[in-house]
């Protein structure tokens, strides 16, 4: 298949690795944060870390929408699911993420809640059509990549007069998160994470383009390279970042030119802007409250806003203290530094979202053999 085999070529990988080794200054360290969980999995699946010099380190970022959703919002979704006459629809990974007191949507389902896994917003709309006397809530999560389908679903529900359909909106935005990671103070007693540059989101950038990352690169002096998900993409993007760092540049460059443009998908952006608007602040797991980093449903579509349709009561939500998922999401710790990793917390018995999600850093370490820290 075009653009698959070509970007997994072993000989080309060795050539890129050789170029990185030649150009990486042995007298300095390079700390590169990959924002997307897809990049983390590519790095471990294809052994990219083993192809680069020891002074080039990948720092795992918060690039997993399931992982960054705070416990409080998950607890709200569980409360919605337990309401009479409600069918809560959600993507598969969210079913097993533990909330307060280890309660999850799948446990709520076992208690009698009608929680259904869907593959798309269209599945949720179909369930609403098939159950006209039930309230169907779509638990919407994700970065800018999955936001346009949510906007389309709301417009479609309005056009069809589906008054029993609503959305619990939890879509978050990546450029503000990158800026927050760079400028936010460390947690008490925490060693500040060093980041010299970013492997920028690729699928996200196919929607929003690469221009929105320019302020962060300019204001904080951190180069950003929009990187594809294949191993050669990651290696080439690493080389591009090293060259920028060596030159003292901090620009946005686009390695993923076969998909991403400067302006992105303007039609998708227009759909999102029609239905959704900016939240002034939103909580991210691991990052805390990040200004202007999420979206909510516009007042015109309030009838499809589950937060307005249902009275979700305030509650005391809390992270599992022994789980280091929040620190992993900040890039402060590696999964193997969590005392629960591989013991109490495994894919079969996940304690934190980073092990549940198919894009989580803990899941990447487990799946691709990094179960123990290297001595």
């Amino acid at each position: 298949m075009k653009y698959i085999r070509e970007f997994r070529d072993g000989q080309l990988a060795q050539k890129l690795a050789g170029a990185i080794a030649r150009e990486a200054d042995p007298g300095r360290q390079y700390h590169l944060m990959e924002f997307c969980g897809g990049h983390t999995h590519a790095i471990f699946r294809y052994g990219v870390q083993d192809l680069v010099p020891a002074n080039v380190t990948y720092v795992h970022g918060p690039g997993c929408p399931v992982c960054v959703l705070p416990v409080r919002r998950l607890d709200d979704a569980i409360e919605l699911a337990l309401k009479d006459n409600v069918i809560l629809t959600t993507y598969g990974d969210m079913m097993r993420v533990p909330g307060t007191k280890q309660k999850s949507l799948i446990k709520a389902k076992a208690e009698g809640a009608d929680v259904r896994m869907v593959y798309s917003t269209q599945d949720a709309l179909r369930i609403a059509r098939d159950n006209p006397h039930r309230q169907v809530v779509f638990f919407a999560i994700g970065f800018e990549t999955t936001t346009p389908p949510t906007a389309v679903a709301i417009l479609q529900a309005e056009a069809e007069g589906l008054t029993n359909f609503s959305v619990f909106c939890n879509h978050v935005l990546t450029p503000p998160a990158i800026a927050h990671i760079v400028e936010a103070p460390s947690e008490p007693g925490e060693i500040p994470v060093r980041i010299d540059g970013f492997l920028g989101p690729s699928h996200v950038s196919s929607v929003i383009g690469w221009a929105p990352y320019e302020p962060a690169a300019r204001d904080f002096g951190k180069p950003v390279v929009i990187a594809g998900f294949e191993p050669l993409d990651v290696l080439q993007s690493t080389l591009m970042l090293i060259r920028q760092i060596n030159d003292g540049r901090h620009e946005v460059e686009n390695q993923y030119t076969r998909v991403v443009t400067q302006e992105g998908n303007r039609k998708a952006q227009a759909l999102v802007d029609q239905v959704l608007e900016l939240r002034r602040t939103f909580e991210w797991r691991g990052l805390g409250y990040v200004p202007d980093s999420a979206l909510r449903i516009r007042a015109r579509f309030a009838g499809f806003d589950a937060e307005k349709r249902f009275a979700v009561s305030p509650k005391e939500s809390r992270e599992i203290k022994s789980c280091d998922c929040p620190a992993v999401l900040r890039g402060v710790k590696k999964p193997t530094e969590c005392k629960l990793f591989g013991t109490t917390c495994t894919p079969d018995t996940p304690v934190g979202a980073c092990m549940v999600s198919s894009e989580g850093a803990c899941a990447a370490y487990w799946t691709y053999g990094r179960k123990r820290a290297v001595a």
Side-chain angles (χ1 to χ4, degrees):
M1 183 183 294
K2 192 176 183 183
Y3 296 145
I4 296 293
R5 288 196 303 269
E6 297 90 337
F7 286 85
R8 297 177 183 176
D9 185 284
Q11 290 184 340
L12 288 176
Q14 291 294 339
K15 288 182 180 179
L16 281 168
I20 291 170
R22 288 191 300 273
E23 299 198 33
D25 183 351
R28 72 187 305 170
Q29 298 290 318
Y30 301 84
H31 296 83
L32 313 178
M33 174 173 276
E34 78 275 5
F35 191 93
C36 279
H39 289 139
T40 306
H41 279 254
I43 287 167
F44 286 118
R45 179 180 180 183
Y46 297 103
V48 173
Q49 179 69 77
D50 299 327
L51 292 175
V52 299
N55 62 331
V56 177
T57 302
Y58 294 107
V59 181
H60 316 312
C64 162
V66 171
C67 299
V68 300
L69 187 76
V71 169
R72 181 176 62 84
R73 299 293 286 186
L74 174 58
D75 289 346
D76 288 345
I78 292 170
E79 182 176 328
L80 282 171
L82 291 169
K83 287 184 178 294
D84 292 337
N85 205 39
V86 166
I87 301 172
L88 187 102
T89 60
T90 182
Y91 296 132
D93 281 353
M94 283 308 309
M95 296 281 287
R96 300 175 63 230
V97 177
T100 299
K101 295 182 179 179
Q102 287 284 287
K103 190 160 188 176
S104 63
L105 284 168
I106 202 164
K107 288 182 179 178
K109 184 178 178 69
E111 293 175 11
D114 195 344
V115 181
R116 305 187 190 183
M117 186 188 76
V118 294
Y119 291 99
S120 71
T121 56
Q122 294 303 307
D123 289 344
L125 287 171
R126 176 183 52 76
I127 292 170
R129 295 187 200 102
D130 293 344
N131 296 272
H133 303 298
R134 304 279 303 278
Q135 289 293 323
V136 177
V137 178
F138 175 63
F139 185 10
I141 68 161
F143 299 137
E144 294 92 338
T145 318
T146 57
T147 305
T150 298
V152 169
I154 291 173
L155 290 171
Q156 195 170 343
E158 181 187 53
E160 295 181 24
L162 288 176
T163 57
N164 66 324
F165 177 79
S166 61
V167 172
F168 181 44
C169 186
N170 295 275
H171 287 297
V172 291
L173 307 174
T174 52
I178 287 179
H180 185 82
I181 289 168
V182 174
E183 65 178 348
S186 301
E187 295 290 316
E190 209 172 65
I191 298 174
V193 61
R194 176 180 166 182
I195 302 170
D196 299 309
F198 288 91
L199 295 172
S202 48
H203 290 164
V204 164
S205 301
S206 70
V207 176
I208 67 172
W210 54 260
Y213 300 99
E214 290 182 320
R218 179 189 64 242
D219 296 343
F220 302 109
K222 306 294 182 183
V224 178
V225 173
I226 308 302
F229 283 127
E230 294 299 325
L232 295 192
D233 290 322
V234 176
L235 285 166
Q236 185 179 28
S237 300
T238 299
L239 181 59
M240 292 166 72
L241 281 173
I242 287 172
R243 286 172 174 169
Q244 281 208 54
I245 294 166
N246 288 346
D247 294 343
R249 294 183 291 118
H250 40 87
E251 304 165 3
V252 179
E253 293 182 325
N254 180 23
Q255 181 273 337
Y256 203 31
T257 55
R258 62 190 186 276
V259 174
V260 174
T261 62
Q262 183 176 14
E263 68 278 1
N265 187 328
R266 291 184 174 176
K267 183 175 182 180
Q269 294 168 25
L271 282 168
V272 170
D273 187 59
Q274 181 181 351
V275 179
L276 305 174
E277 64 182 6
L278 196 64
R279 292 183 191 261
R280 290 307 170 195
T281 188
F282 192 78
E283 185 184 4
W284 292 53
R285 178 185 271 118
L287 303 185
Y289 284 90
V290 181
D292 300 329
S293 67
L295 299 172
R296 65 184 179 190
I297 298 170
R298 290 187 179 275
R300 180 198 152 186
F301 300 97
F304 300 98
D305 190 342
E307 291 185 69
K308 292 184 170 63
R309 181 173 294 190
F310 301 94
V312 179
S313 61
K315 59 186 67 64
E316 183 182 351
S317 301
R318 55 187 181 275
E319 294 279 358
I320 301 161
K321 290 185 178 179
S322 55
C323 175
D324 284 331
C325 184
V328 171
L329 294 171
R330 291 193 297 275
V332 174
K333 287 188 175 183
K334 293 182 178 180
T336 46
E337 294 177 290
C338 176
K339 61 186 177 183
L340 302 184
F341 179 83
T343 56
T344 305
C345 185
T346 69
D348 291 332
T349 57
V351 176
C354 295
M355 184 64 85
V356 175
S357 172
S358 59
E359 291 190 348
C362 294
Y365 270 65
W366 179 275
T367 302
Y368 301 113
R370 302 270 174 157
K371 297 186 179 66
R372 296 182 180 87
V374 177

